[in-house]
C-alpha cells in the first residue's frame, strides 16, 4: 500500500512538472510571437499559461494587450479591404478574429457593417445585370451572396423579384391556336449572318408548311399571293412586354417581302414595316400589358419568301 501511494504521488508530481513546463514554454512562445507582431498566435499561447506558473499574472496582462493589438490589426486590415470594395474579404478577416476572441463587442458591429455593405454591393451588381438582361447571372449572384451572409431579407426579396421578372421564352408556351416549329433549319439572314446565339428562332414561309394562302394578291413585279402563319397564346394578363428580333431569311427573294403583326386580345398593337432582302436586323418591343391573349401573325409575299423570327421573350 505504501509503495502504491508513493507511486501515485510521483505520477502526480511528474504531471505537475510537465504541465508547468508546458505553461512556461507557452509563455516564452507567446512573448516571442508578441514581439514579432503575431498577436493571434500570442493570444493562443498566453491562454495556455497555468495559474501555478509564476508568469500567470504577467500572461493575463499581456493577453489583454495582445487582444487589443490583434483587434486593432484586424480592424485596420478590414478597413483597407472594404475601402477597395472587398467587403467579403473584410468580413472573412473579422469572422476569423471572432473565432479567436468570440463575442467581441468591438468586432461584431464592424462585421455587421461590412456585411451590410457587401449586401448593398451585391444588390447594385444585380440591378446592373438585370438592366443588361442577364437574369441568370443576377440569380446566381444573389444565391452566392446568401451562402456568404446566410438568411437576409433584402437578398431574399431581390431574388424573388428577379425570378418573377425574368423573361419567359415564347417557345416555352403552348399555343392555343396555330403555332410553329421552333429551332429547325439554319438561322442565316440575307446578308449571310448566322445567328447561332439566338435563344429560339423560327423560319417562316410556306415551304416549311407553316404558312397558308390567304386568297389575297399583291402586284410586285408580277402578281403574288399573300401567305400567312400565326401563333396565338394565352398570357392570363401576367406579362407587360413582348420583345423579338426580325430579319429576312437567306431564302427571301429580291423583290418580295414579309411583315409581322401583333394582336393583343384581337386588337392590333404592332405592325412592322416591310421586311425585304435589304432589311437589317430589327429589334421590337411591344406593349402587351394585361393582355389575356396575344397573336403573332407573319405574312409573306409569295410562297417561297422567308422571315426569320428570333428571341421572342415575354417579360413582366
Amino acid at each position: 500500500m505504501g509503495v502504491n501511494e508513493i507511486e501515485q504521488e510521483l505520477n502526480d508530481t511528474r504531471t505537475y512538472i510537465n504541465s508547468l513546463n508546458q505553461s512556461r514554454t507557452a509563455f516564452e512562445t507567446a512573448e516571442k510571437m508578441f514581439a514579432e507582431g503575431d498577436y493571434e498566435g500570442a493570444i493562443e499561447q498566453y491562454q495556455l499559461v497555468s495559474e501555478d506558473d509564476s508568469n500567470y499574472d504577467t500572461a493575463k496582462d499581456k493577453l489583454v494587450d495582445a487582444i487589443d493589438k490583434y483587434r486593432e490589426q484586424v480592424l485596420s486590415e478590414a478597413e483597407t479591404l472594404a475601402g477597395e470594395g472587398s467587403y467579403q474579404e473584410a468580413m472573412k478577416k473579422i469572422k476569423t478574429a471572432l473565432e479567436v476572441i468570440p463575442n467581441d463587442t468591438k468586432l461584431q458591429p464592424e462585421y455587421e457593417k461590412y456585411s451590410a455593405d457587401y449586401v448593398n454591393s451585391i444588390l447594385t451588381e444585380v440591378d446592373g445585370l438585370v438592366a443588361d438582361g442577364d437574369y441568370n447571372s443576377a440569380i446566381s449572384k444573389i444565391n452566392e451572396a446568401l451562402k456568404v451572409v446566410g438568411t437576409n431579407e433584402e437578398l431574399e426579396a431581390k431574388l424573388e423579384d428577379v425570378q418573377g421578372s425574368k423573361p419567359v421564352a415564347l417557345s416555352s408556351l403552348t399555343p392555343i391556336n396555330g403555332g410553329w416549329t421552333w429551332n429547325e433549319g439554319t438561322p442565316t439572314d440575307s446578308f449571310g449572318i448566322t445567328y447561332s446565339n439566338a435563344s429560339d428562332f423560327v423560319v417562316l414561309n410556306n415551304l416549311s408548311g407553316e404558312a397558308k394562302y390567304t386568297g389575297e394578291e399583291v402586284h410586285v413585279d408580277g402578281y403574288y399571293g399573300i401567305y400567312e402563319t400565326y401563333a396565338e397564346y394565352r398570357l392570363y394578363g401576367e406579362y407587360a412586354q413582348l420583345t423579338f428580333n426580325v430579319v429576312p431569311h437567306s431564302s427571301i427573294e429580291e423583290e418580295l417581302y414579309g411583315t409581322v403583326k401583333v394582336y393583343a386580345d384581337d386588337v392590333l398593337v404592332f405592325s412592322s414595316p416591310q421586311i425585304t432582302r435589304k432589311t437589317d436586323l430589327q429589334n421590337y418591343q411591344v406593349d402587351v400589358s394585361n393582355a389575356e391573349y396575344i397573336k403573332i401573325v407573319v405574312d409573306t409575299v409569295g410562297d417561297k419568301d422567308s422571315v426569320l423570327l428570333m428571341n421572342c421573350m415575354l417579360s413582366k
Side-chain angles (χ1 to χ4, degrees), residues 187-207:
T188 301
D189 68 13
S190 56
F191 303 102
I193 300 172
T194 299
Y195 299 90
S196 55
N197 293 327
S199 58
D200 289 291
F201 68 88
V202 59
V203 180
L204 298 169
N205 63 15
N206 191 45
L207 294 180

Side-chain angles (χ1 to χ4, degrees), residues 26 36 62 65 74 98 105 122 151-152 161 163 167 219 240 252:
E36 294 174 348
K62 293 297 288 290
D65 289 344
V74 168
L98 284 168
T105 57
I122 292 297
T151 302
N152 182 276
D161 179 59
Q163 288 176 329
H219 186 274
I252 195 170

Side-chain angles (χ1 to χ4, degrees), residues 261-270 293-297:
K261 298 171 184 170
V262 178
Y263 294 83
D265 295 329
D266 296 322
V267 176
L268 181 64
V269 293
F270 170 82
Y293 299 92
I294 63 166
K295 183 177 182 180
I296 302 174
V297 178

Side-chain angles (χ1 to χ4, degrees), residues 7-310:
E7 185 66 29
Q8 183 61 47
E9 288 179 6
L10 288 173
N11 286 336
D12 291 344
T13 300
R14 282 194 291 267
T15 299
Y16 173 77
I17 292 172
N18 287 337
S19 175
L20 193 58
N21 284 335
Q22 290 174 0
S23 175
R24 289 172 177 170
T25 298
F27 179 78
E28 292 172 0
T29 302
E31 290 284 83
K32 181 180 179 181
M33 288 180 167
F34 188 95
E36 294 174 348
D38 182 3
Y39 303 115
E40 179 181 353
I43 290 170
E44 181 182 355
Q45 294 300 314
Y46 280 132
Q47 290 173 329
L48 296 177
V49 177
S50 69
E51 294 184 16
D52 296 327
D53 193 328
S54 60
N55 297 310
Y56 180 70
D57 290 337
T58 302
K60 283 200 305 181
D61 293 338
K62 293 297 288 290
L63 175 61
V64 173
D65 289 344
I67 288 174
D68 287 341
K69 290 184 178 298
Y70 177 58
R71 182 192 301 112
E72 180 182 347
Q73 183 183 70
V74 168
L75 291 177
S76 176
E77 292 174 358
E79 183 178 13
T80 298
L81 289 168
E84 297 170 350
S86 301
Y87 301 113
Q88 187 176 351
E89 294 304 315
M91 291 165 63
K92 287 181 181 178
K93 181 72 65 175
I94 296 179
K95 187 175 183 179
T96 298
L98 284 168
E99 293 173 359
V100 178
I101 42 178
N103 304 316
D104 188 83
T105 57
K106 294 181 179 178
L107 288 175
Q108 191 63 45
E110 293 300 305
Y111 178 85
E112 292 170 0
K113 182 184 76 173
Y114 292 134
S115 179
D117 290 339
Y118 170 69
V119 168
N120 288 333
S121 70
I122 292 297
L123 293 175
T124 299
E125 284 187 60
V126 166
D127 286 342
L129 290 169
V130 169
D132 292 338
D134 192 352
Y135 288 85
N136 290 335
S137 294
I139 291 171
S140 296
K141 182 70 67 175
I142 297 172
N143 285 326
E144 289 171 7
L146 284 169
K147 291 179 183 178
V148 174
V149 301
T151 302
N152 182 276
E153 291 183 0
E154 289 181 278
L155 288 174
E156 290 168 353
K158 178 62 76 172
L159 179 60
E160 184 177 355
D161 179 59
V162 173
Q163 288 176 329
S165 61
K166 181 181 178 181
V168 173
L170 190 67
S171 62
S172 68
L173 305 183
T174 301
I176 61 170
N177 289 307
W180 304 308
T181 303
W182 294 90
N183 302 320
E184 284 194 356
T186 303
T188 301
D189 68 13
S190 56
F191 303 102
I193 300 172
T194 299
Y195 299 90
S196 55
N197 293 327
S199 58
D200 289 291
F201 68 88
V202 59
V203 180
L204 298 169
N205 63 15
N206 191 45
L207 294 180
S208 64
E210 308 288 357
K212 304 299 180 184
Y213 178 50
T214 65
E216 300 177 60
E217 290 186 350
V218 294
H219 186 274
V220 182
D221 193 28
Y223 286 95
Y224 292 88
I226 301 294
Y227 287 79
E228 180 178 281
T229 182
Y230 71 93
E232 187 172 22
Y233 299 87
R234 188 170 188 179
L235 305 186
Y236 298 94
E238 294 180 356
Y239 298 96
Q241 190 175 71
L242 169 69
T243 60
F244 57 91
N245 306 132
V246 180
V247 72
H249 189 256
S250 57
S251 61
I252 195 170
E253 295 189 2
E254 182 178 352
E255 301 297 334
L256 307 185
Y257 61 86
T259 60
V260 179
K261 298 171 184 170
V262 178
Y263 294 83
D265 295 329
D266 296 322
V267 176
L268 181 64
V269 293
F270 170 82
S271 182
S272 77
Q274 293 180 355
I275 302 160
T276 73
R277 191 165 181 81
K278 296 180 179 179
T279 302
D280 290 315
L281 178 69
Q282 303 294 301
N283 305 303
Y284 294 118
Q285 300 85 38
V286 181
D287 185 359
V288 294
S289 300
N290 304 314
E292 185 74 9
Y293 299 92
I294 63 166
K295 183 177 182 180
I296 302 174
V297 178
V298 178
D299 289 337
T300 57
V301 174
D303 60 357
K304 295 181 181 179
D305 264 3
S306 301
V307 171
L308 183 58
L309 191 64
M310 303 182 294

